[in-house]
């Protein structure tokens, strides 16, 4: 799907496609009701946030894109002091781990199928959330490094966040461990898991609504026992563990899920979008990027 191509609203289940180039009116209203956003609060809060960032040694030389600052404001419901701390977290983490924010060589997408272990899905859920799918069994460490997996994850969220619908409604994540070997799971060491936590949950201005875990194995359960201690109670409660993949139908529209979860999607990997997201990530700096629209 092309970044700028407008796709009409489907009438079944009242859901929107992921790749949409306008903000439906109901989500303007939702931003005001749920996130305290008005044109006045946006202008005022961005100005206040810029003044705070300009007074801080670590951020005073950074000329942030206003759309990027708005991502953080929306994430924190226009609580400016809280937003200021989140922006600082992002800046500090990015400076220490700049390689995680690089894009991949385009040849990787042509020659290494393992990159398909992570994708956004073509449809949003009823609440307008972006759906991100991870399939660990499709990743082979001998073909794609752990750092490259983390880069794909970071670019997926950072580029999807350039859609205002994703900023307002957040993300639902599906982590599928079907066919994941012990080697694959152990390659995702606690250090890498913690880096993922920092990069996505602690620094990226993504509103994570739910994280669904399916086809778990015993090693993955052991890893979760360690990883959960990094998380706040609020975030831990957003991890949902399913005995059956079809349980996802309780949380997602049938037409928005791949067939292996009882859904309708047979061809769900967003290849054109992911390649373009990778290309766009090359232009992503510590200053952020403008929205797509």
């Amino acid at each position: 799907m092309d970044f700028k191509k407008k796709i009409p609203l489907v009438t079944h289940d009242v859901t929107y496609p992921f790749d949409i180039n306008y903000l439906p009116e109901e989500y303007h209203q939702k931003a005001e009701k749920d996130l305290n956003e008005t044109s006045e609060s946006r202008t005022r809060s961005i100005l206040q946030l810029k003044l705070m960032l300009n007074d801080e040694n670590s951020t005073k030389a950074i000329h942030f894109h206003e759309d990027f600052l708005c991502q953080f404001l929306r994430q924190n419901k226009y609580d400016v002091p809280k937003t200021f701390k989140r922006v600082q977290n992002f800046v500090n983490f990015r400076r220490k781990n700049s390689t995680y924010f690089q894009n991949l060589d385009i040849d990787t997408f042509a020659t290494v199928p393992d990159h398909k272990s992570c994708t956004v899905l073509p449809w949003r859920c009823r609440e307008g959330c972006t759906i991100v799918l991870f399939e660990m069994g499709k990743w082979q460490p001998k073909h794609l490094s752990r750092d490259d997996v983390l880069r794909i994850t970071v670019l997926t969220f950072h580029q999807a966040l350039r859609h205002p619908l994703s900023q307002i409604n957040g993300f639902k994540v599906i982590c599928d461990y079907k066919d994941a070997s012990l080697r694959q799971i152990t390659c995702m060491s606690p250090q890498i898991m913690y880096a993922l936590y920092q990069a996505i949950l602690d620094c990226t201005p993504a509103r994570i609504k739910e994280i669904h875990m399916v086809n778990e194995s015993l090693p993955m359960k052991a890893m979760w026992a360690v990883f959960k201690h990094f998380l706040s109670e609020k975030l831990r409660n957003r991890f949902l563990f399913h005995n059956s993949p079809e349980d996802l139908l309780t949380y997602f529209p049938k037409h928005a899920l791949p067939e292996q979860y009882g859904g309708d999607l047979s061809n769900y990997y967003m290849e054109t979008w992911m390649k373009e997201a990778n290309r766009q990530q090359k232009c992503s700096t510590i200053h952020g990027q403008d929205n797509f629209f």
Side-chain angles (χ1 to χ4, degrees):
M1 295 185 183
D2 186 81
F3 267 55
K4 298 298 183 182
K5 183 179 179 182
K6 183 174 178 178
I7 305 174
L9 170 66
V10 292
T11 56
H12 56 291
D13 283 331
V14 195
T15 60
Y16 289 89
F18 165 72
D19 199 12
I20 183 173
N21 68 352
Y22 66 98
L23 184 63
E25 178 57 34
E26 63 262 38
Y27 292 109
H28 286 283
Q29 298 171 10
K30 183 176 181 179
E32 181 173 357
K33 179 182 177 182
D34 294 351
L35 307 180
N36 306 310
E37 178 177 294
T38 63
S39 58
E40 294 80 8
S41 68
R42 174 175 172 140
T43 300
R44 182 179 62 252
S45 298
I46 286 178
L47 177 59
Q48 183 182 351
L49 182 57
K50 282 183 173 180
L51 290 172
M52 294 175 71
L53 292 167
N54 286 338
D55 284 339
E56 180 67 28
N57 286 334
S58 63
T59 52
K60 64 182 180 181
I62 303 174
H63 301 289
F64 294 100
H65 288 278
E66 288 193 357
D67 284 347
F68 188 54
L69 293 179
C70 187
Q71 291 181 21
F72 285 94
L73 286 166
R74 283 172 165 167
Q75 180 198 30
N76 295 285
K77 299 184 177 181
Y78 279 79
D79 182 327
V80 177
K82 187 176 179 180
T83 300
F84 171 68
K85 292 179 181 178
R86 297 286 294 201
V87 175
Q88 284 185 305
N89 286 350
F90 165 78
V91 169
N92 292 335
F93 181 79
R94 175 149 187 163
R95 282 176 169 160
K96 293 176 182 176
N97 303 277
S98 60
T99 58
Y100 295 155
F101 295 83
Q102 296 173 355
N103 65 333
L104 276 69
D105 189 295
I106 191 62
D107 289 341
T108 300
F109 281 84
T111 61
V112 183
D114 302 51
H115 70 271
K116 293 186 177 181
S117 57
C118 175
T119 185
V120 293
L121 291 183
W123 294 100
R124 296 174 180 271
C125 61
R126 295 181 187 90
E127 302 91 336
C129 300
T130 294
I131 306 172
V132 177
L133 172 64
F134 294 96
E135 296 176 278
M136 182 171 279
K138 291 185 175 181
W139 167 55
Q140 296 297 324
K142 64 181 179 181
H143 297 150
L144 198 68
S145 72
R146 293 183 303 184
D147 282 354
D148 280 342
V149 171
L150 203 150
R151 289 186 190 103
I152 291 172
T153 305
V154 169
L155 73 87
T156 299
F157 280 92
H158 273 259
Q159 295 303 317
L161 271 167
R162 296 174 67 195
H163 288 279
L165 263 177
S166 301
Q167 299 168 22
I168 294 168
N169 300 301
F171 292 78
K172 292 187 178 183
V173 181
I174 301 170
C175 297
D176 185 354
Y177 296 94
K178 183 180 179 180
D179 299 327
S181 67
L182 180 60
R183 182 187 176 194
Q184 289 166 307
I185 293 173
T186 53
C187 276
M188 299 301 289
S189 65
Q191 291 83 357
I192 291 294
M193 296 295 287
Y194 185 58
L196 275 170
Y197 161 74
Q198 289 185 299
I200 305 302
L201 302 178
D202 195 41
C203 299
T204 299
R207 306 181 70 225
I208 306 296
K209 311 300 285 187
E210 297 169 359
I211 301 175
H212 296 265
M213 312 288 278
V214 297
N215 294 313
E216 273 190 291
S217 62
L218 288 176
M220 190 58 222
K221 290 179 180 179
M223 186 173 291
W224 166 250
V226 176
F227 180 61
K228 67 181 180 181
H229 297 294
F230 296 140
L231 309 176
S232 66
E233 182 179 0
K234 180 179 178 180
L235 194 52
R236 282 199 301 271
N237 291 336
R238 293 185 181 179
F239 279 77
L240 304 172
F241 297 83
H242 301 286
N243 293 324
S244 168
E246 288 76 16
D247 290 347
L248 294 173
L249 289 168
T250 304
Y251 298 87
F252 299 92
K254 190 171 186 286
H255 68 270
L257 284 176
E259 291 176 339
Q260 62 262 36
Y261 310 122
D264 296 333
L265 292 176
S266 57
N267 183 18
Y268 56 87
Y269 179 71
M270 297 277 282
E271 185 160 4
T272 299
W273 192 91
M274 291 295 294
K275 286 181 178 179
E276 178 64 10
N278 182 61
R279 189 184 70 82
Q280 292 279 340
Q281 185 71 358
K282 188 175 182 179
C283 304
S284 176
T285 69
I286 203 167
H287 306 268
Q289 291 173 284
D290 293 335
N291 290 340
F292 288 122
F293 58 89

